[in-house]
Amino acid sequence: MFAPKTLFFRSLGSLQKRLNSTLVVAEHDDQALGAITLNTITAAQKIGHEISVLVAGANSKKVAEQAAKIPNVKRVLVAEDAQLKDLLPERVTEVVLEAQKKNNFTHILAGGSSFGRGVLPRVAAKLDVSPISDISAVHSPDTFTRTMYAGNAVAKVKSSAKVKILTVRGTAFEASAADGGSAATEAAEVGKLNTEISEFVSQELSKSDRPDLQTARIVISGGRGLKSGDNFKLLYELADKLGAAVGASRAAVDAGFVPNDMQVGQTGKIVAPDLYIAVGISGAIQHLAGMKDSKVIVAINKDKEAPIFQVADFGLEADLFKAVPELTAELSK
Amino acid sequence: MPLCFTLLKDHLILALPEDGFRNVLFDTTICLALLVPLTCLCSSSVPSKKSTLIFSVHGPSVRTLITMKILVGVKRVVDYAVKIRVKPDKSGVVKDGVAHSINPFCEIALEEAVRLKEAKKASEVVVVSIGNAKCTENIRTALAKGADKAIHVEVDDKTAEKLEPFHVAKSIAELVKRDKYDAVFLGKQAIDDDANQTGQLLAGFLDWPQATFASKVEHADGKLTVTREVDGGLQTVKVKLPAVVTADLRLNEPRYATLPNIMKAKKKPLEKITPDKLGVDLTVQTEILEVTEPPVRQAGGFVEDVPTLVKKLREKGVIA
């Protein structure tokens, strides 16, 4: 007696499974959508399915409105709960899992930032699938490119996971337009949050009026050659002249010249600006991993043998303490 | 019973699930000595098998035992200073005859665990490595740097090539379930696959909190206060033990293994086990179709002086 009904539900179930759709987990600070979310949307478009964006947070409505304006976004799922403030991964994961339970997405994406890297592998474990990090190209819904060995090997990989969980290298995809779309907004389940196991204590964010390192068109980085934190002033002056962001090598961060969030490289930020100026940086493999996709690279170093000159379009063999002020002056002409 | 009464002054929390002691926040070996009287008390007063009992501990000697048992994952990778080469058949990178070492982030995780032990905040540091027979070299180095014992989850060369962070995290999760650790310390990423997944996957499998990209770890009252390196700066979170911590570069400066310690490490226990025995399925989910060299950047050469540089950059249109 129940057979026809069961059959009906079963076919409905399989139908639902075949409806391919992609979820993008938005990054934001309760005020504005994170820039990397727009790059992630572009990657999601290349997969070619209907795109939903999940905005989870304590105060997500305003951000959801911004997400709804992104062209090609079909739906915006809004999960708002005071306990989602500060987006702790243990909590955001629950929201993503609720959304997945309801919608059966075939792909779940987030930007390869500290937020996305924190949340998505945890979601993958819960769904019992192997995730793929930091993709730089989409060939088909199951084939992607990513780099390994500090960018010295490029791997084309094919995922057979039942749900593809991917973090996206922001610099490898253009940012999607922020306006022009009109997605439907709906409330998403928050689920049962385990607030016992982790709590936010505080944060110290570096404040800067200069452009964001990862999205800047021009980046100027300093290394050990700068000799002190004070000497970074030379780079800031040049940066202000060019409207550039300022980065650093690991050596400069380790020596305490500048804070860690300025580090460019394999374990820091990956940048690919139009112009990258490396000042007093030797060019170790690990640093090159973070900037070698820049369109034009300029190196200023007094050591003619420094490896940085092997990737620089324009090398200037000079003492940076003379060359940088001269460059700032020349640009003022 | 007299022993039980002496245990009723301060706060010591014991969780007793059906399989015995878990989440026990003090040295389990010493605990075993207390096991008999404690279980007597439990069985008489608590009917439920899975309940948390609050005991009190009298005297500083017992209180200092409130420490963690830490598992540290170490990965054998191609040394960071090696300029890697891609195999001509595009199947991977050349690893034969190439210097290998412990992944730098794993060394930092290990150093932190050993420092916690030296500060009497941890009772035991166990290292685990998953890979082919050659991993033993690196495991011995880890033992020489202060780990108490080691577990080698052994796989053959072919399987080792195809291991995903997913499989590694599953294997570690099984070991955690078997041996009951209070914390797992891992590096934030391995410098070969650059995946940055294992710690988060493990925390997900175990349903433990995660503190990733740690640059400072403090232990107090069954919780870890961890400062994390995030995109915009630093963030501090508090996670309840048991927890997974992944180390960032600036957490500490790892020590070198000294010769006497290298000699001593040879005598430390090393358990070998297979993923099979742990019940971990190693089915490939991410198949590597091909590995290629990245496009080679041509050096453009030197410019004579600053005005020439500015002129050329203007010609290129990258500056106004």
Side-chain angles (χ1 to χ4, degrees):
Chain A
M1 200 160 91
F2 293 114
K5 210 172 173 183
T6 322
L7 197 70
F8 172 70
F9 276 116
R10 222 181 258 160
S11 58
L12 193 73
S14 64
L15 191 74
Q16 208 173 11
K17 277 209 180 90
R18 265 183 282 132
L19 285 177
N20 295 319
S21 59
T22 300
L23 177 70
V24 171
V25 183
E27 177 164 353
H28 65 93
D29 58 1
D30 274 348
Q31 293 298 317
L33 203 58
I36 198 167
T37 305
L38 294 174
N39 306 97
T40 311
I41 297 281
T42 304
Q45 266 172 263
K46 295 199 190 251
I47 292 167
H49 304 152
E50 187 184 300
I51 301 171
S52 300
V53 175
L54 173 66
V55 183
N59 203 346
S60 37
K61 291 215 175 65
K62 193 172 152 190
V63 184
E65 281 167 27
Q66 295 169 25
K69 287 188 196 142
I70 304 172
N72 299 305
V73 172
K74 189 89 176 180
R75 279 190 311 167
V76 177
L77 312 176
V78 190
E80 200 169 51
D81 189 312
Q83 293 178 328
L84 291 171
K85 192 175 180 292
D86 309 309
L87 301 172
L88 291 173
E90 294 82 2
R91 302 181 194 185
V92 176
T93 298
E94 293 307 318
V95 182
V96 179
L97 292 173
E98 285 295 325
Q100 173 63 10
K101 217 191 283 171
K102 199 170 160 201
N103 300 285
N104 231 336
F105 298 106
T106 52
H107 293 70
I108 302 178
L109 275 66
S113 57
S114 39
F115 166 76
R117 289 171 184 198
V119 173
L120 283 209
R122 192 174 175 100
V123 170
K126 294 290 191 181
L127 298 175
D128 204 33
V129 293
S130 187
I132 300 176
S133 297
D134 225 22
I135 58 163
S136 51
V138 174
H139 303 285
S140 74
D142 64 0
T143 313
F144 314 96
T145 288
R146 62 180 305 271
T147 60
M148 305 190 301
Y149 292 93
N152 289 302
V154 182
K156 194 172 175 183
V157 297
K158 185 176 174 162
S159 168
S160 57
K162 58 181 190 288
V163 183
K164 319 287 187 245
I165 301 208
L166 312 159
T167 56
V168 173
R169 177 172 290 192
T171 56
F173 298 90
E174 294 281 320
S176 149
D179 283 303
S182 57
T185 305
E186 61 184 76
E189 296 287 327
V190 170
K192 200 172 165 292
L193 304 180
N194 186 347
T195 54
E196 294 277 297
I197 56 172
S198 61
E199 58 182 297
F200 172 87
V201 178
S202 62
Q203 66 186 7
E204 274 174 65
L205 299 184
S206 320
K207 288 205 176 68
S208 168
D209 300 331
R210 290 187 194 87
D212 175 59
L213 188 54
Q214 277 166 299
T215 49
R217 211 179 58 77
I218 302 177
V219 173
I220 303 167
S221 285
R224 202 197 310 267
L226 267 292
K227 293 201 173 87
S228 79
D230 286 344
N231 290 335
F232 261 76
K233 206 169 60 211
L234 295 175
L235 300 194
Y236 295 137
E237 283 162 9
L238 177 58
D240 292 338
K241 194 102 270 168
L242 290 167
V246 178
S249 69
R250 179 188 167 187
V253 177
D254 280 353
F257 300 173
V258 290
N260 64 284
D261 56 299
M262 283 171 66
Q263 186 178 328
V264 171
Q266 183 184 17
T267 65
K269 294 194 170 109
I270 313 270
V271 302
D274 291 345
L275 174 61
Y276 187 89
I277 306 178
V279 181
I281 292 177
S282 65
I285 300 169
Q286 291 77 12
H287 184 75
L288 300 184
M291 47 62 83
K292 68 179 173 189
D293 292 329
S294 307
K295 291 205 182 76
V296 175
I297 298 174
V298 171
I300 302 174
N301 203 306
K302 62 181 177 187
D303 174 12
K304 200 172 182 173
E305 304 302 318
I308 190 79
F309 287 124
Q310 291 163 21
V311 298
D313 298 278
F314 302 107
L316 181 66
E317 184 200 349
D319 181 356
L320 71 93
F321 294 102
K322 270 196 204 133
V324 175
E326 207 185 326
L327 190 53
T328 311
E330 183 72 25
L331 288 165
S332 307
K333 275 185 196 167
Chain B
M1 288 311 269
L3 181 59
C4 295
F5 279 112
T6 56
L7 283 169
L8 286 167
K9 282 272 155 76
D10 277 307
H11 293 290
L12 169 66
I13 299 165
L14 295 185
L16 301 178
E18 49 276 80
D19 53 352
F21 282 82
R22 213 168 72 131
N23 304 346
V24 179
L25 302 175
F26 62 91
D27 192 326
T28 31
T29 50
I30 308 286
C31 180
L32 283 174
L34 306 173
L35 189 62
V36 180
L38 281 180
T39 39
C40 286
L41 182 74
C42 306
S43 55
S44 62
S45 60
V46 184
S48 152
K49 276 182 170 176
K50 247 193 177 171
S51 47
T52 303
L53 300 176
I54 300 182
F55 281 97
S56 300
V57 184
H58 187 61
S61 60
V62 187
R63 230 182 304 166
T64 54
L65 298 175
I66 308 177
T67 55
M68 298 182 280
K69 189 171 153 189
I70 307 176
L71 182 67
V72 182
V74 295
K75 184 177 186 181
R76 174 185 167 85
V77 297
V78 173
D79 192 89
Y80 73 94
V82 171
K83 173 92 182 76
I84 63 121
R85 278 180 303 130
V86 171
K87 286 185 193 163
D89 69 356
K90 297 185 178 177
S91 64
V93 306
V94 178
K95 289 184 185 166
D96 291 335
V98 169
H100 280 67
S101 53
I102 297 179
N103 177 42
F105 291 97
C106 301
E107 290 206 321
I108 296 168
L110 173 63
E111 175 67 26
E112 196 65 17
V114 172
R115 285 185 193 187
L116 281 167
K117 195 189 162 195
E118 287 167 348
K120 305 259 187 280
K121 297 273 189 182
S123 55
E124 189 177 41
V125 176
V126 181
V127 290
V128 58
S129 195
I130 298 159
N132 64 14
K134 285 184 180 156
C135 282
T136 329
E137 284 170 32
N138 307 90
I139 290 173
R140 290 288 171 202
T141 311
L143 288 168
K145 287 178 184 230
D148 299 293
K149 57 185 192 187
I151 304 170
H152 180 192
V153 181
E154 203 171 0
V155 294
D156 58 44
D157 291 354
K158 252 202 177 131
T159 316
E161 280 287 311
K162 291 181 178 165
L163 277 182
E164 295 161 32
F166 180 82
H167 305 130
V168 174
K170 271 225 161 141
S171 308
I172 298 177
E174 289 306 319
L175 285 169
V176 168
K177 286 178 198 155
R178 190 191 75 170
D179 300 343
K180 321 286 179 217
Y181 297 95
D182 302 302
V184 180
F185 284 18
L186 301 169
K188 80 160 177 182
Q189 77 189 59
I191 58 161
D192 53 359
D193 64 20
D194 282 337
N196 193 331
Q197 295 175 353
T198 310
Q200 296 89 309
L201 281 163
L202 176 64
F205 286 136
L206 295 169
D207 235 329
W208 286 7
Q210 65 190 50
T212 47
F213 323 136
S215 67
K216 192 175 171 197
V217 176
E218 282 168 315
H219 173 238
D221 303 327
K223 285 181 177 172
L224 296 176
T225 304
V226 179
T227 303
R228 307 176 52 228
E229 298 202 359
V230 295
D231 290 335
L234 298 170
Q235 182 192 63
T236 306
V237 293
K238 204 178 252 189
V239 292
K240 197 171 159 190
L241 290 170
V244 175
V245 176
T246 72
D248 213 317
L249 272 179
R250 277 162 285 272
L251 181 57
N252 58 48
E253 191 77 43
R255 70 192 66 190
Y256 291 98
T258 59
L259 190 60
N261 285 340
I262 291 170
M263 300 311 288
K264 273 184 225 156
K266 289 184 179 160
K267 293 197 185 105
K268 288 186 180 174
L270 166 59
E271 177 196 352
K272 291 200 184 225
I273 193 165
T274 59
D276 244 15
K277 283 226 175 81
L278 289 170
V280 177
D281 173 19
L282 299 181
T283 307
V284 171
Q285 287 194 39
T286 307
E287 185 194 351
I288 296 183
L289 300 178
E290 61 170 36
V291 177
T292 50
E293 298 262 4
V296 181
R297 242 197 127 91
Q298 292 298 328
F302 288 90
V303 290
E304 285 144 45
D305 51 19
V306 171
T308 322
L309 176 63
V310 172
K311 193 171 144 249
K312 296 226 169 171
L313 290 176
R314 285 197 171 124
E315 276 169 17
K316 275 258 181 190
V318 288
I319 58 170

